[in-house]
Amino acid sequence: MSSNTLTAAEASGPHKPAAGFEGDRHDNTVGGAVRGYVNKLRAGDLGALPAILGIVVLGILFTVLRPDTFLTPLNLSNLLVQSTPIIVLAMGLVFVLLLGEIDLSAGVVSGVCSAVLAQLLVQVGVAWPIAVLAAIATGAVIGVFTGSLVGMVGIPSFVVTLALFLGFQGVTLRIIGQGGTVPVREPVIRALANENVPVTIGWILAVVVAVSYAAFELWRWRSQQSRGLAHQPLVLVVARIVLIAAVVFGVTALLSVDRALAAAIDLAGIPYAVPLVVVLLLVLTFVLSRTTFGRHIYAVGGNAEAARRAGINVTRIRVLAFVISSSLAAISGILATSRLSSVTPDAGAGNTLLYAVGAAVIGGTSLFGGRGKARDAVLGGLVIAIIANGLGLLGVAAYLNFVITGGVLLLAASVDALARRRAATARR
Amino acid sequence: MSAPDQRTTTPTLERPTLSLRGVNKSFGAVQVLHDVHLDVYPGTVTALVGDNGAGKSTLIKSIAGIHPIDSGTVEFEGEPVQLNGPRDAARLGIEVVYQDLALADNLDVVQNMFLGRERKRGILLDEASMEEAARDTLAKLSVRTLKSVRQLVSSLSGGQRQTVAIAKAVLWESKLVILDEPTAALGVAQTRQVLDLVRRLADTGHAVVFITHNMVDVFEVADRVAALYLGRVAADVPISEVDRTQVIELITSGRSGELGLAPDALED
């Protein structure tokens, strides 16, 4: 294999005689890219593969087991809406996990923030934008507190957030009041998970997303290629564009079907929560991959000492990661509030956090830090939502639901740990 | 010692890049550096040798600004300077490649080389220009062993990692590069690569300080040798004026014939 690649490089790159880097040239072939990917898998970096396999396998499994109910537009739209609070919470956790830290309090922080939102809307009667901003600000302030305890005081994040996990449940209880459930009827908040983007606008959004993605990818490929930088083969870029476009249009088409059970009602379109998640995905992906801050998050997670010596303010990065985690937890809480149209005293407790951590890890984010992407939260969150939704359709006893979800998280964590070991031994 | 004559330049006529005069450093009651005099010249590899505990690490950390000196003067290119922090050293063009290399395994070669000093366009990282600059620097150092500058550092061999760490130091228009035992954990072929790289660093005009315990490496690549003995500079001489036995004597006893510390210098 290596002799092939060598001759290919010699044949294709006579214009740069002295330099090495033959890989930067021969990777331009599909064969080279495929080999590179296989090597990556063998070195233990599975990327999105487990999550995509999970979505496909679980999808087929539940379709076979519940052919009448699982693969219907109504159920799939429910599934997507169910997944959004998990995904957003997991997106925040990705930032913390990238540093090799953990935020066990993210779930209950989402509960505190939704309690703040609900009481501001219901008791104080403020307009929804103010309530939303207050909820997110609450999350950010909590993040500063948590991040300072971890980054400045130096308490392990596991202990800090375990303590806060307990403490914040008390705070939610205090805000909501004993035994009470605060119903949220504010139309805009309710609409997030319960109303749909008009079908035409949904299609326009889908086209805009697909076309901008294609344009961006092609432009990047073009500029990398013309400047002689490392780049993927065009075929792969196009294949990825086609795949993304297919998913975007497929989901849009599915959600544009009238899925109302009663003929008199018109129920079609993408739930508002879905484009919100897409926007968050784009923004966070941008932050992680195109900004200095994102680069420094990876650096601190990969080698904190190296980052410190490179002049990176490691404490600041740690605090900011917790601020992002808690702020996204607040948004997750708002989505959950919208879905339930109410806030309960135990909001965000129970399995909320477990689901989100599971989502991030299944999606490919490492618990050991340094590896992860915003999209991991989306893919893993879908896997978790499919499990929860499918088990619900099967009418599985509640205890089994807990056992199975816990088992899936353990499985994902095992894959992560084994991948890490493989990566360590793969080094020559 | 195959061709020592070519390396025996007349550095005394040149202005040293770095010049230490009477440098002292203590940690509490323990005086680690005593009255250190050291000159480091551009285009020259100075091997810094000494036994464990002789003060090599403290000396380079003082030069790097991590352990500011207690007394004495430091001149950089003829100007007296204060080195009170790593940033002071970096601003002057002093780069240290520590033994642990300080690379992030999960980032690629380009990302590591620019870590902490990323090039930006607006708020965006300027990946294209960083990749080009990284490739240029590696090519200038005639590094041919890397398959891709977009390879993750975790996939590199020990010698390649050392290469990346050195290239990272060179990227910053550094004038003085200090290498802390760069060949310590390497095999024969990789040691060869790194020594070649050290030589090229000097040939491209850098002043290089090269810490090592390996006498073969010293005579292979160094132009000058500075031996530390119990925190004092026992000798700072052109490599052509000493042989291996003398260097070992300087390391182990601080003296070798005419060279080295006066017997009474160690009394205090």
Side-chain angles (χ1 to χ4, degrees):
Chain A
M1 191 177 88
S2 61
S3 65
N4 284 346
T5 57
L6 254 177
T7 43
E10 282 160 5
S12 69
H15 54 287
K16 279 191 180 173
F21 324 121
E22 73 269 18
D24 287 348
R25 275 163 278 138
H26 85 242
D27 265 1
N28 301 345
T29 65
V30 178
V34 169
R35 264 198 305 279
Y37 184 68
V38 171
N39 282 341
K40 220 172 94 174
L41 290 186
R42 280 166 58 182
D45 186 359
L46 298 178
L49 195 62
I52 291 171
L53 278 182
I55 291 171
V56 171
V57 170
L58 290 168
I60 293 173
L61 179 73
F62 288 126
T63 309
V64 171
L65 292 176
R66 280 291 176 275
D68 302 334
T69 43
F70 181 74
L71 210 60
T72 60
L74 179 63
N75 188 54
L76 290 182
S77 121
N78 276 343
L79 194 156
L80 280 184
V81 173
Q82 278 174 354
S83 73
T84 54
I86 304 172
I87 289 175
V88 174
L89 196 59
M91 280 174 171
L93 280 168
V94 165
F95 281 77
V96 173
L97 290 173
L98 273 176
L99 298 183
E101 307 282 352
I102 183 79
D103 187 355
L104 298 174
S105 67
V108 292
V109 168
S110 81
V112 170
C113 296
S114 47
V116 168
L117 175 91
Q119 293 298 42
L120 281 179
L121 287 173
V122 175
Q123 297 290 333
V124 186
V126 301
W128 70 266
I130 296 171
V132 165
L133 284 180
I136 296 175
T138 306
V141 170
I142 291 173
V144 171
F145 179 64
T146 315
S148 305
L149 287 178
V150 175
M152 294 178 193
V153 184
I155 313 172
S157 57
F158 168 76
V159 176
V160 172
T161 58
L162 190 61
L164 294 180
F165 173 72
L166 198 64
F168 283 135
Q169 292 186 53
V171 173
T172 310
L173 198 59
R174 174 71 189 75
I175 298 176
I176 295 294
Q178 203 97 32
T181 292
V182 181
V184 176
R185 298 200 183 79
E186 208 292 321
V188 176
I189 298 296
R190 257 185 55 87
L192 267 180
N194 297 302
E195 302 283 339
N196 302 310
V197 181
V199 172
T200 343
I201 295 178
W203 275 110
I204 294 172
L205 286 179
V207 170
V208 167
V209 166
V211 169
S212 336
Y213 178 74
F216 172 73
E217 286 286 307
L218 289 174
W219 167 81
R220 191 168 64 155
W221 182 85
R222 184 87 189 77
S223 72
Q224 284 176 336
Q225 200 240 11
S226 64
R227 290 180 75 166
L229 304 175
H231 59 277
Q232 289 185 313
L234 183 60
V235 186
L236 280 196
V237 175
V238 172
R240 214 170 46 231
I241 291 171
V242 170
L243 186 74
I244 295 283
V247 169
V248 168
F249 291 134
V251 169
T252 310
L254 203 76
L255 294 174
S256 299
V257 177
D258 183 5
R259 53 185 179 267
L261 294 175
I265 316 166
D266 200 21
L267 186 61
I270 305 167
Y272 280 104
V274 174
L276 176 69
V277 168
V278 172
V279 169
L280 284 175
L281 172 67
L282 294 177
V283 170
L284 297 178
T285 301
F286 173 82
V287 168
L288 280 178
S289 60
R290 310 247 156 250
T291 68
T292 318
F293 172 68
R295 179 65 40 84
H296 292 177
I297 291 247
Y298 284 102
V300 172
N303 187 342
E305 177 59 20
R308 194 185 62 75
R309 284 202 213 139
I312 295 168
N313 185 340
V314 175
T315 306
R316 176 177 155 266
I317 298 281
R318 287 224 168 91
V319 173
L320 282 175
F322 278 96
V323 169
I324 290 172
S325 169
S326 297
S327 306
L328 285 167
I331 298 177
S332 162
I334 296 169
L335 284 167
T337 305
S338 170
R339 202 166 85 78
L340 300 172
S341 303
S342 66
V343 177
T344 58
D346 64 348
N351 56 13
T352 314
L353 178 87
L354 188 83
Y355 276 178
V357 174
V361 176
I362 292 168
T365 296
S366 173
L367 289 165
F368 302 98
R371 184 161 51 80
K373 291 185 166 124
R375 70 145 200 242
D376 296 350
V378 177
L379 294 172
L382 287 174
V383 173
I384 293 281
I386 290 173
I387 294 174
N389 177 287
L391 292 180
L393 293 180
L394 292 179
V396 167
Y399 79 89
L400 260 184
N401 200 333
F402 282 115
V403 171
I404 292 173
T405 314
V408 170
L409 174 56
L410 277 184
L411 185 71
S414 312
V415 170
D416 179 28
L418 292 175
R420 183 182 154 83
R421 256 176 45 190
R422 246 200 118 95
T425 49
R427 192 178 311 149
R428 285 152 294 161
Chain B
M1 290 281 279
S2 55
D5 299 339
Q6 293 176 353
R7 280 188 263 145
T8 320
T9 49
T10 49
T12 38
L13 299 178
E14 278 182 80
R15 184 180 64 177
T17 303
L18 181 78
S19 187
L20 304 181
R21 289 289 171 270
V23 165
N24 289 289
K25 174 70 189 172
S26 303
F27 293 109
V30 186
Q31 187 164 4
V32 185
L33 297 179
H34 299 260
D35 191 30
V36 166
H37 290 248
L38 182 70
D39 288 320
V40 180
Y41 297 92
T44 304
V45 178
T46 303
L48 183 60
V49 296
D51 216 342
N52 293 333
K56 302 188 299 290
S57 294
T58 305
L59 180 58
I60 62 163
K61 283 182 176 159
S62 297
I63 298 171
I66 292 172
H67 296 322
I69 58 173
D70 298 336
S71 61
T73 61
V74 179
E75 287 186 4
F76 194 82
E77 298 192 314
E79 300 289 320
V81 290
Q82 298 281 328
L83 297 168
N84 291 321
R87 281 179 189 278
D88 290 347
R91 209 173 299 125
L92 291 171
I94 301 174
E95 290 286 332
V96 185
V97 180
Y98 292 98
Q99 219 173 338
D100 64 7
L101 301 185
L103 298 173
D105 270 358
N106 59 332
L107 298 182
D108 67 32
V109 173
V110 180
Q111 292 169 342
N112 265 292
M113 284 174 68
F114 278 90
L115 190 59
R117 310 185 241 199
E118 289 82 2
R119 288 190 189 167
K120 287 189 282 186
R121 266 166 50 182
I123 58 163
L124 286 175
L125 289 168
D126 190 354
E127 295 286 356
S129 106
M130 288 194 277
E131 186 174 327
E132 283 169 348
R135 208 187 298 255
D136 280 355
T137 302
L138 288 164
K140 248 181 239 157
L141 296 170
S142 306
V143 174
R144 292 189 188 81
T145 53
L146 284 181
K147 236 175 77 191
S148 167
V149 290
R150 287 299 181 184
Q151 237 179 320
L152 291 188
V153 163
S154 63
S155 70
L156 301 182
S157 68
Q160 289 172 325
R161 296 159 76 86
Q162 189 75 50
T163 304
V164 171
I166 294 173
K168 178 183 176 184
V170 174
L171 191 59
W172 303 107
E173 312 211 330
S174 48
K175 292 165 181 154
L176 170 61
V177 179
I178 302 172
L179 305 166
D180 189 3
E181 296 202 42
T183 58
L186 301 181
V188 177
Q190 298 189 342
T191 299
R192 176 79 264 144
Q193 283 170 20
V194 170
L195 291 181
D196 286 347
L197 186 54
V198 170
R199 193 62 245 164
R200 276 195 297 277
L201 270 184
D203 291 346
T204 48
H206 297 87
V208 181
V209 174
F210 174 66
I211 295 181
T212 185
H213 282 292
N214 187 327
M215 284 308 121
V216 179
D217 291 358
V218 170
F219 284 94
E220 178 103 24
V221 78
D223 302 295
R224 294 179 66 83
V225 59
L228 276 181
Y229 181 73
L230 299 180
R232 294 170 169 84
V233 176
D236 175 12
V237 291
I239 196 80
S240 55
E241 293 176 12
V242 285
D243 62 23
R244 184 176 306 201
T245 321
Q246 286 177 300
V247 174
I248 291 172
E249 277 177 11
L250 286 168
I251 292 171
T252 50
S253 63
R255 293 191 51 75
S256 173
E258 295 296 298
L259 278 172
L261 300 161
D264 60 331
L266 296 170
E267 303 287 304
D268 58 349

